[in-house]
Every structure is written in C-alpha cells, then in structure tokens.
C-alpha cells in the first residue's frame, strides 16, 4: 500500500537542520541560517515528538522554550519518567525501562570498549511499551511500518546490530582486559578483536590502572 503522505515537497524549507536551532525553527519559521558552509531555511513546525531526552533539562533559555512550546499545535513525549518535558506535553506515551526490554548497550564509558547483552527482567508493566513498538505503531498509521522495521522485529534488530559490529573493520585498536593470575595466567586469550592479558595482582599494569 502506498503511504498516505508520500512526497518530498518541503514547501521551500530545508529537510534537515542543526538540532541546536530547533527552538528557532518553531519561533522563526522560514529564517535562513548558515550551517556547515551552506544555507538552511528553518521549517514551519506544527508538531513535536520527543523521545530519549528531556530538553527542558538542558536547554539554555527556558522562557524562549516555553514560548515555543505554546506555539506548537501538538507535543508528544515518550518517556518512562514524569519529566518537565512531559508536563508541557499534550500526549505522554509511557515507555518501558531498560529492565523491561531486550537490548544491547556499550560499556567502557566514552571509549566504546565493547557491547553487553541486556536481557529484560520482567515484561513491560502496566501500559508501557518499548520505543520500537511505539514508533512502529506511529509508522503504521502513516503506512510506513515496513520501511521502519524493514521486516524485522526487536530481537532480529538486536541480532542484526550485534552481527554488524562483529564484522572486521579497518580499525586495529585493541582493548586490553586485565585479569588476575590463576589458571589463565599463561593463556593470552584473544576473543575477536579484544585481547585478554593475564597479569598478576602486583604487576605494573594493575598499579598503573588503580592510580
């Protein structure tokens, strides 16, 4: 079935814009700004869908933001906590927490050392749903669910992303995981691109690590 709204007509506005200027787009639609060496015309925004963030927590000018929110026709927020953004929304859709969904996550702070499997502890409680389920339903109402899911469910997407990061890359960075002495002391195991280096508790590597 052809999507109900299937066109690339942005009515003279740019189809993308810098995220830092979204309040300007609401208050000053049609304004031309410079961005990355090109011109961007801020779009006329009628509806806002917020997911995975709380802009009321980190935006610089609260009064200007309040004015922008009051100008919008509809604000939808997807969150598991009753944030300030939820309080300024017309519709709040309850998302489940990380304890109620299967997922994968990075570990190693900003270094991106590796990935971990996140297995849900319980099913989504009450009326909460996963972000994937919510956005799939959004897209279904616009006849775009196939384009969004690409024919895969949540578990299949997790497997696809996991398999993608396991493929060899041109980067040769290795991550060392320090292990105490014992049966694996002489092993020198290598798992994929991650080297496990057996060391003794008194080694220089341990002393350097805890300084």
């Amino acid at each position: 079935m052809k999507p109900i709204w299937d066109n690339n007509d942005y009515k003279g506005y740019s189809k993308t814009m810098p995220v830092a200027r979204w309040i300007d787009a609401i208050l000053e639609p049609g304004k031309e700004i410079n961005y990355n060496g090109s011109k961007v015309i801020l779009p006329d925004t009628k509806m806002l869908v917020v997911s995975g963030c709380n802009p009321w927590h980190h935006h610089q000018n609260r009064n200007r933001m309040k004015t922008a929110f009051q100008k919008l026709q509809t604000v939808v927020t997807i969150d598991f906590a009753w944030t300030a953004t939820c309080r300024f929304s017309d519709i709040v859709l309850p998302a489940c927490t990380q304890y109620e969904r299967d997922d994968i996550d990075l570990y190693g702070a900003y270094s991106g050392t590796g990935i971990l499997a996140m297995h849900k502890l319980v099913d989504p409680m009450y009326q909460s749903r996963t972000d994937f389920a919510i956005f799939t339903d959004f897209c279904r109402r616009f006849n775009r669910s196939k384009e969004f899911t690409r024919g895969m469910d949540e578990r299949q997407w997790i497997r696809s992303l996991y398999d993608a990061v396991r493929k060899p890359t041109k980067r040769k960075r290795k991550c060392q995981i320090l292990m105490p002495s014992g049966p694996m002391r002489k092993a020198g195991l290598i798992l994929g691109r991650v080297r496990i280096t057996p060391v003794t508790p008194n080694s220089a590597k341990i002393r350097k690590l805890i300084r």
Side-chain angles (χ1 to χ4, degrees):
M1 181 182 296
K2 185 178 180 180
I4 299 175
W5 291 279
D6 187 22
N7 66 76
N8 293 315
D9 182 12
Y10 293 92
K11 302 185 183 302
Y13 302 111
S14 300
K15 63 180 181 180
T16 60
M17 67 175 184
V19 66
R21 305 299 295 272
W22 66 280
I23 292 296
D24 295 332
I26 298 172
L27 295 177
E28 303 176 80
K31 181 179 180 180
E32 184 178 274
I33 63 172
N34 295 315
Y35 178 64
N36 279 355
S38 61
K39 300 291 184 180
V40 172
I41 300 177
L42 299 178
D44 188 8
T45 307
K46 306 293 185 183
M47 178 179 178
L48 180 68
V49 179
V50 181
S51 175
C53 66
N54 177 21
W56 277 92
H57 173 68
H58 52 71
H59 197 270
Q60 300 89 340
N61 191 328
R62 299 292 197 280
N63 290 329
R64 182 173 170 80
M65 188 173 183
K66 182 178 180 180
T67 302
F69 264 64
Q70 292 172 338
K71 184 181 177 182
L72 291 167
Q73 294 180 5
T74 308
V75 179
V76 180
T77 297
I78 304 168
D79 211 320
F80 62 84
W82 189 249
T83 65
T85 304
C86 291
R87 297 178 184 182
F88 279 87
S89 301
D90 300 292
I91 301 172
V92 177
L93 300 177
C96 63
T97 66
Q98 64 268 36
Y99 305 109
E100 301 165 281
R101 70 173 189 268
D102 292 317
D103 208 339
I104 54 177
D105 198 7
L106 291 173
Y107 71 88
Y110 293 98
S111 63
T113 303
I115 58 175
L116 294 171
M118 292 172 50
H119 299 289
K120 67 179 180 180
L121 300 178
V122 295
D123 291 328
M125 300 183 68
Y126 310 108
Q127 294 180 315
S128 67
R129 304 171 69 190
T130 66
D131 293 84
F132 184 87
I134 291 173
F135 278 102
T136 298
D137 204 12
F138 267 145
C139 294
R140 180 182 60 80
R141 294 166 188 265
F142 288 92
N143 291 333
R144 290 281 190 174
S145 59
K146 289 184 178 180
E147 288 82 355
F148 177 71
T149 64
R150 300 184 187 180
M152 294 187 289
D153 59 22
E154 291 185 59
R155 294 297 294 265
Q156 290 172 324
W157 263 110
I158 293 172
R159 170 57 63 181
S160 175
L161 294 171
Y162 177 76
D163 290 340
V165 300
R166 293 188 65 199
K167 293 180 180 179
T169 64
K170 295 181 180 180
R171 299 179 63 185
K172 296 183 179 180
R173 185 185 70 178
K174 293 181 179 179
C175 169
Q176 291 190 335
I177 302 177
L178 303 181
M179 299 183 64
S181 59
M184 300 181 67
R185 181 174 180 178
K186 298 180 180 180
L189 297 179
I190 298 179
L191 301 178
R193 302 183 67 83
V194 179
R195 178 180 294 277
I196 300 178
T197 306
V199 294
T200 62
N202 296 322
S203 71
K205 288 185 177 180
I206 288 290
R207 291 196 298 271
K208 183 177 180 180
L209 183 67
I210 62 178
R211 283 178 183 172

